[in-house]
Amino acid sequence: MTIDDLDTAVAIERASFPRPWTRAMFAEDLSRDDRVWIAAETGGRLCGYAGATWHADEAHIMNLAVESAHRQQGLATALLSELLELLVCRGVHRATLEVREHNDAARRLYESAGFRAVGARPGYYTETGEDAVIMWTDDLAAPGASARLEVLGEHAAQALSDVPANELVLAIESSCDETAAAVMRGGTELLSSVVASQVDFHSRFGGVVPEIASRKHTEAIVAVIDEALTEAGVGFSDLDAIAVTYGPGLVGALVVGLAYAKGLALATGLPLVGVNHLEGHIFANMLADERVAPPLVALVVSGGHTSLVHMPEWGVYRTMGETLDDAAGEAFDKVAKFLGLGYPGGPIISKLAEAGNAAAIDFPRAMMHSGDYSFSLSGLKTSVINHIRHERDAGREVDVPDLAASFQQAVIDVQVSKAVKAVKETGVGTFCLAGGVAANRALRQAMTLAMEANGVLVSVPPFALCTDNAAMIAAAGTHRLRRGDRLDLDAEAVPNLRLGE
Ligand code: KG4
Ligand code: ZN
């Protein structure tokens, strides 16, 4: 909550309470550093607020109000939950407050957060002669944090920020075979982005070898982070936070970036924010195009994932469906490997496909009409491999461009059809293509045509932001930082981390 909110706050006070806070009271309180005041906004306008004072491990909740037009929407619960969470972060365990004896809704709200009536102040509210009930808890926990995210929009989340605007964030990514670091200011201004690819070390094996990945991350990470800081012209002491990918990915690869980030957070005292790698891929779209904002549907297609995700609000993710077996990029990689074409297979197959006929071979479109959002790509990969074997056995030369184009088209057809269905079902007006496979030109084109035909804004990130990088982790990390999300120093890498957890 800021001084700019006070005109509205005073109006809400007057309409809500017989003994309203005045502008001077709010102004004096906001200037003190032993107070926490948070605001809820809708459409950029204040509609509620809550404030507390604290000393050592004990807090006093001083005020909580929601404008009458916005009551019954869960905002009071969300405000209380956020306020308590901020207090818990400051080491507070116990809290007290007074509530009007007959204000049942308020009493229920505080009871749901663990407060109990422990006494009364007779006649405390002199205007009405009502008693104040004193409520108390010595087991402060912030309830309903996830409910809070459902309710609060971006503006409220930003108002809850306990970091400066224009925050300088260092982001680290090491979930697969790219060691990456980036420095970003204010969530959008990219000062540097360094990616050290290990692809040469994996290519001779036709895929990522986890043990090699961990070792190479360990060798590269210090230099990659140094380079990102140097390029940005900043030092550790200039930073406001550290963001790091903590899942999903290869566990031995993730731990390298995470261990570095935790060590740095411990040494500097900077806040540490954990980012989901898939969320990072989605944020590559917001980084590239500021019109992209929830509600939206994203298709994350990479070497490890094929997921259709509904993002109704900032910070809220619902996985609508994902692959039951191989990921889309994995299918490209495996087909290329079988043909002896090299690794990664995606760029090679898509280049070859440009010269081929996509209708030459009728490969299966698995689950295209399954009615749900699951994908299956291992059957397609097997059909391609069987086709190659069959042709070779018959003594015929395989037409590689035709094969590449037909395989690619089978992948694209299913993805486009499910993505369009998801957009229609959720009713969103924005669609994002994300992940390494989003670099595929034919997929970008097919998706753009199909979505535009449905009047949907389509976003495809620039090529450099499709494959793994830390700029996207910085963008997602800054959003999490502003929502108050923090990763503990004893947090572990989560190789199977799901979006929304
Ligand atoms: O996102 P990413 O860099 O790493 C993971 O998170 O997995 O994606 C890498 C994947 C690889 O499987 C690669 O073959 C695929 O993206 N890829 C492509 C193209 N460029 C990269 N797949 C199809 N067409 C492309 N042009
Ligand atoms: Zn990725």
Side-chain angles (χ1 to χ4, degrees), residues 16-370:
S16 307
F17 305 117
R19 200 198 296 167
W21 277 54
T22 62
R23 197 187 160 87
M25 287 162 78
F26 277 120
E28 136 82 10
D29 241 62
L30 286 182
S31 68
R32 296 178 55 154
D33 55 14
D34 60 346
R35 306 287 154 101
V36 197
W37 280 94
I38 59 171
E41 295 181 8
T42 50
R45 198 174 160 277
L46 185 80
C47 61
Y49 45 85
T53 177
W54 90 98
H55 176 70
D57 70 342
E58 192 173 324
H60 187 168
I61 313 296
M62 295 185 297
N63 198 338
L64 191 156
V66 173
E67 191 174 25
S68 56
H70 294 285
R71 295 201 184 130
Q72 309 295 324
Q73 294 170 5
L75 274 172
T77 309
L79 278 164
L80 180 61
S81 162
E82 189 66 39
L83 185 67
L84 298 184
E85 190 165 302
L86 290 173
L87 290 167
V88 169
C89 290
R90 287 162 171 77
V92 170
H93 304 296
R94 309 183 289 169
T96 182
L97 57 89
E98 286 98 29
V99 61
R100 278 169 196 278
E101 189 187 2
H102 300 298
N103 191 345
D104 292 337
R107 285 176 71 165
R108 273 199 303 277
L109 169 70
Y110 294 119
E111 277 165 9
S112 74
F115 286 84
R116 292 289 164 261
V118 291
R121 289 188 209 283
Y124 180 75
Y125 298 99
T126 45
E127 323 71 40
T128 55
E130 242 179 307
D131 290 356
V133 175
I134 303 167
M135 299 187 81
W136 166 257
T137 174
D138 52 15
D139 179 22
L140 206 57
S146 56
R148 178 188 92 236
L149 289 183
E150 303 276 351
V151 173
L152 296 184
E154 184 196 17
H155 293 294
Q158 279 176 2
L160 300 174
S161 159
D162 57 352
V163 289
N166 269 334
E167 55 290 72
L168 197 62
V169 173
L170 168 70
I172 303 170
E173 152 67 42
S174 71
S175 65
C176 189
D177 60 346
E178 251 94 33
T179 320
V183 177
M184 182 173 278
R185 194 187 295 285
T188 48
E189 190 194 342
L190 189 59
L191 303 185
S192 66
S193 176
V194 177
V195 181
S197 176
Q198 317 171 348
V199 69
D200 294 346
F201 299 100
H202 299 287
S203 57
R204 70 184 117 141
F205 302 101
V208 177
V209 184
E211 290 75 11
I212 295 180
S214 321
R215 176 178 289 258
K216 292 291 160 196
H217 283 308
T218 311
E219 288 170 12
I221 192 150
V222 172
V224 166
I225 290 169
D226 280 353
E227 194 179 326
L229 291 170
T230 308
E231 212 176 278
V234 301
F236 289 134
S237 59
D238 300 313
L239 298 173
D240 293 306
I242 305 155
V244 64
T245 306
Y246 72 111
L250 300 168
V251 67
L254 288 164
V255 294
V256 178
L258 185 58
Y260 187 108
K262 290 197 286 193
L264 185 58
L266 184 67
T268 56
L270 289 171
L272 179 65
V273 182
V275 174
N276 180 306
H277 182 76
L278 300 188
E279 175 186 31
H281 275 301
I282 296 172
F283 267 82
N285 288 274
M286 287 121 186
L287 199 53
D289 182 347
E290 60 187 23
R291 292 171 305 162
V292 178
L296 58 82
V297 164
L299 176 64
V300 187
V301 269
S302 71
H305 302 276
T306 301
S307 294
L308 256 175
V309 179
H310 178 206
M311 185 179 178
E313 296 235 18
W314 291 108
V316 181
Y317 303 95
R318 187 167 68 88
T319 302
M320 302 180 73
E322 53 202 337
T323 181
L324 304 173
D325 39 57
D326 291 349
E330 194 178 356
F332 277 89
D333 295 339
K334 287 182 173 170
V335 166
K337 183 177 181 179
F338 191 80
L339 286 165
L341 296 172
Y343 172 85
I348 305 169
I349 300 265
S350 58
K351 185 93 199 95
L352 286 165
E354 284 171 20
N357 172 7
I361 311 157
D362 187 20
F363 287 125
R365 268 77 172 151
M367 318 221 29
M368 177 119 143
H369 304 293
S370 61

Side-chain angles (χ1 to χ4, degrees), residues 468-485:
D468 291 349
N469 63 84
M472 66 189 197
I473 304 302
T478 306
H479 259 261
R480 287 202 178 221
L481 182 72
R482 289 176 181 172
R483 315 186 83 87
D485 270 14

